[in-house]
Amino acid sequence: MGRKGLRGGWRKPAIETLEDRQVFSADPLGGVWGGLVEPHSFTEPSVVQHAPATADFWYDDSLEQDLNSLLGEIEQNLATAHLLTGVSQAREEYGFTGIGQTVAVIDSGIAWDHASLGGGFGSSYRVVGGWDFTEENDANPYDDGPAGSHGTHVAGIVGADSSNSGDVGVAPGVDLVALRVFNDQGAGFFSWVEKALRWVHTNRNSFANPITAVNLSLGTAWNAATIPSWAMLEDEFEQLKSAGIFVSVSAGNSFSTFNAAGLSYPAASSYVVPVMSVDDSGAMSYFSQRHTRAIAAPGRFVRSTVPDYVGNQNGVTDDWANYSGTSMASPYVAGASVIIREAMQFVGYTNITQDTIYNHMMSTADDFFDAATSQFYKRLNVSAALDALLPDDEFGSIPEQAHDLGTVGTAGADVSGLIGKRDDADYFRFTASATGRVVFTADTTHELRTAWSGTGRVDEADGNIYTIDVVAGQSYTVGLSSSGGIGYFHLTVTTESEFSFADWGTITQANFSHLSNRGESWYRVQASQTGYLTAEAFTGTGENIALAWFDATRQPVAAGSIAEGGQRVDYLTTAGEELYLRVSGMSDDIDFRLTNLVALEGAQVNVTGTAGNDEFTFVAGSTHRLSVNGVAYNFGSATTNSIRFDGGSGVDTIKMTGTVGSEVATLRVGQATLVGSGFIATTMDTENVTVDSGGGIDRISFYDSAGDDVYGGWSNKAVMYGTNYSYTARGFASTVAYSTQGGKDQARFYDSAGDDNYAAWSHRALMYGNGYSNDTYGFSSSIAYATSGGVDQASLYDSAGNDHIVAAAWGAYVSGNGFRNEVRAFRDISAYLVNGGEDTVDAAATDHAFQLFGQKG
């Protein structure tokens, strides 16, 4: 008799139809809508998507259903399905996610920008590639048709990776390939599917991870155990099967039409794995076509990913919807196939084929009865499949059942095993033959990350070495588990005699030369101050050693790394702390340098010198670089804005370098500073200071001592020195020197190759030229030399007292009470007697132009 839709209006019978879908997204519940997908009438057999099915919304006079009650059932997420199939338990116990494999989805494309499908397209994303085989025929297989969303939903079932644990797909670690064979109107053709299957075979090894599974959630109006005469995909299926690729195909949604066991095509092909649909109760879905060769998986009311245009259309692709059909069950099995393949590879299977996986699926599946056909069928059980693959635990999983290694002596012991579940632990018991240490060293595979339990300590940053201090004759128990995933391990157990070490005492900075190391040596040190304790080791070419710091209880606190010229390890210590330096490796000639001179207090770095002669450097930048006696440190300028050096006793040296920006430097006896954008560097009690501009328009000021000081100024540098100090500035555009502390201070100026000017007064002398200016105040004498070329000019000014001017062939000078300013070899010299006093002039024949202004009498 005829059928009528619950929402009114007669519909003609359809071969495959859509079930009403309830759409979800990041927003609240959306609307309910539905429609029909019917086969297209073309000369070649047309293809129809196998989900979603609609028989829930059809009825006859003998079977009336309540739409409201049906809508009340459709809030099923993948977590519910995973409980039925054991995926949740398998993931919790084993951690397999399908990583390292790719699944090809032949469908309506994939909305690859979906937040739970990787958010992009290409090698850097989870949807690594694909092709659109419809009329568009291009490399963009996006699921964008008005009749689309099916492929995106399928892809999410395979491997959605959602922050909501209830929406995580079967294999969230897999990559995906999108092959679009349904166009914008939802039409698809076997010629497109055939091209897609051939593409899979050609490109099966073209990506970072090989294609190991294909999903086809599509079919035709067919219900049989054998293929139709017009089947045209058999060669391609056979080729993929021969390549070891698992092909999962939806069984079809038309059981209500045929009311007999059978499969749609291409599910009926002997080269593929047909997949039936079950409800969340585990019973066969009323619409699912079925056959004893098929395997069943959840396919009713499955919530998965959909494009934004099917969801809330807010421009963000994070939407979800519930669909039903064998189209939902097929990708579930495709995802399960990569999980089982991963487990098979883990336990050492080789040459894994579709039959290897299929036969194992079927042998571990759950049997369930179908009243409609009075037949038992197989339902996927992933947990049982993995349990059957993974070997039994060889060692005790609790301390009371620890595996006995016996007495461990000089011969040590070796043992191999497996952490086969994520919550597994293997325990080992041994008796010590001598007082000393027993060392467990673990070599691990896969995702096993060693975690230890017992009375010992972890000695390596990666956790692979575990050490126990033992007493002869006593027994100990060690537990090994994983902080990551499962994997194999090999334990090497060795013994060491009583712990011994060399005592290097309290460290400020010390060198230990020409030491040998054969395996492992220990050195005890004590920090002299709070700050970085740095150990460096330098060996001959080709020799490798490793350094590590341990605290007073010999717990590791810092692991070393390769540094320029050797190995280095740093640790932030506190004054008086006792530490041990462990040296591992083989070398007959090692030079060690230990340094405890650099401290970090908030945003300030403090560098102290030793009692001897120290050498410091500082280079400002986005990362401030400094060194003390050859030991280098880096500090980010974003967190460090003050660097302070203290030379202490001895004759100390520092070189400070600015940036390409503009800086200001100030050099006083006993203190020097360099100030730039966002930083200040200061040095105290440092006798020899050199400041390099580093670029920019920089200026520097010098201040004298109470003794006799000398200032020298050139176009590219300036110096000032006196008793027990020497200051140098390089590359500064402007230098100023002050003589205010007494003594007979002298300033010396040197011209450039260009045109320079010199001017001198009783209290000041200045020389400047292209790009530089050197200025002095209060010096008792100055002398300027013009010997490098150019047209140089000098101007000499008298004081208010009685002054004397001399002009000769070599140059000229003006002197008076407490000052003398002299010039040599200048081309043009002008003397100005304009400030009063009884001035005298001695002028002889000169080799230059000499002019006198303002002479009295």
Side-chain angles (χ1 to χ4, degrees), residues 35-294:
L36 292 175
V37 172
E38 298 177 305
H40 300 282
S41 53
F42 288 87
T43 54
E44 68 177 41
S46 59
V47 180
V48 180
Q49 294 163 298
H50 262 170
T54 59
D56 271 345
F57 300 98
W58 300 87
Y59 75 97
D60 59 29
D61 295 338
S62 64
L63 179 64
E64 193 161 326
Q65 302 186 44
D66 181 3
L67 175 60
N68 292 326
S69 66
L70 290 172
L71 291 180
E73 297 176 8
I74 65 177
E75 182 86 32
Q76 177 187 338
N77 58 27
L78 282 168
T80 307
H82 295 339
L83 290 174
L84 176 66
T85 62
V87 166
S88 295
Q89 180 180 348
R91 185 178 297 154
E92 178 66 25
E93 291 182 344
Y94 301 111
F96 294 126
T97 64
I99 193 167
Q101 301 178 64
T102 300
V103 176
V105 176
I106 300 177
D107 213 292
S108 64
I110 298 176
W112 38 254
D113 57 344
H114 198 288
S116 293
L117 295 176
F121 182 73
S123 59
S124 300
Y125 298 95
R126 290 192 58 209
V127 182
V128 294
W131 194 264
D132 185 340
F133 292 95
T134 70
E135 299 93 346
E136 297 176 22
N137 193 32
D138 58 28
N140 182 13
Y142 193 85
D143 188 3
D144 58 357
S149 81
H150 188 266
T152 303
H153 197 272
V154 164
I157 295 171
V158 173
D161 186 8
S162 172
S163 58
N164 178 8
S165 60
D167 290 323
V168 176
V170 179
V174 296
D175 289 340
L176 298 167
V177 161
L179 300 176
R180 190 168 187 251
V181 296
F182 290 100
N183 62 19
D184 291 352
Q185 290 72 43
F189 304 98
F190 274 142
S191 59
W192 295 343
V193 177
E194 188 174 40
K195 291 177 183 178
L197 293 170
R198 290 173 180 173
W199 187 98
V200 171
H201 187 267
T202 300
N203 294 279
R204 64 192 184 278
N205 294 312
S206 298
F207 303 99
N209 300 311
I211 298 174
T212 59
V214 175
N215 186 76
L216 287 162
S217 289
L218 50 83
T220 57
W222 184 256
N223 189 65
T226 58
I227 63 175
S229 59
W230 42 260
M232 59 181 292
L233 304 177
E234 297 305 287
D235 290 344
E236 287 72 26
F237 286 146
E238 182 180 18
Q239 186 180 49
L240 291 177
K241 183 177 180 180
S242 296
I245 296 175
F246 188 97
V247 181
S248 183
V249 182
S250 54
N253 297 336
S254 298
F255 181 77
S256 298
T257 299
F258 296 105
N259 289 308
L263 299 169
S264 175
Y265 184 77
S269 172
S270 62
Y271 299 115
V272 305
V273 176
V275 183
M276 306 173 290
S277 171
V278 292
D279 299 348
D280 61 354
S281 66
M284 188 77 76
S285 299
Y286 70 90
F287 52 78
S288 178
Q289 289 172 251
R290 57 205 73 179
H291 192 274
T292 54
R293 189 170 67 82

Side-chain angles (χ1 to χ4, degrees), residues 501-524:
F501 59 88
D503 196 338
W504 280 350
T506 302
I507 298 297
T508 53
Q509 189 168 57
N511 294 281
F512 304 93
S513 302
H514 307 303
L515 300 184
S516 65
N517 197 79
R518 313 302 296 176
E520 183 175 283
S521 300
W522 293 80
Y523 301 93
R524 177 194 173 278

Side-chain angles (χ1 to χ4, degrees), residues 656-658 662-667 673-675 690-702 714-718 728-736 771-774:
M656 298 193 290
T657 303
S662 298
E663 280 98 28
V664 176
T666 304
L667 305 184
T673 61
L674 176 65
V675 180
T690 298
V691 184
D692 193 315
S693 163
I697 303 175
D698 302 330
R699 57 189 177 89
I700 190 168
S701 301
F702 297 86
W714 289 262
S715 61
N716 60 351
K717 72 173 183 178
T728 302
R730 297 184 181 277
F732 281 79
S734 172
T735 73
V736 182
Y772 81 96
S773 170
N774 295 323

Side-chain angles (χ1 to χ4, degrees), residues 20 28 55 158 164 167 172 301 331 338 383 397 465 510 662 710 720 807 847:
D20 280 298
V158 173
N164 178 8
D167 290 323
F301 300 131
V338 299
S383 179
S397 297
I465 293 181
S662 298
V710 175
M720 191 165 181
D847 295 331

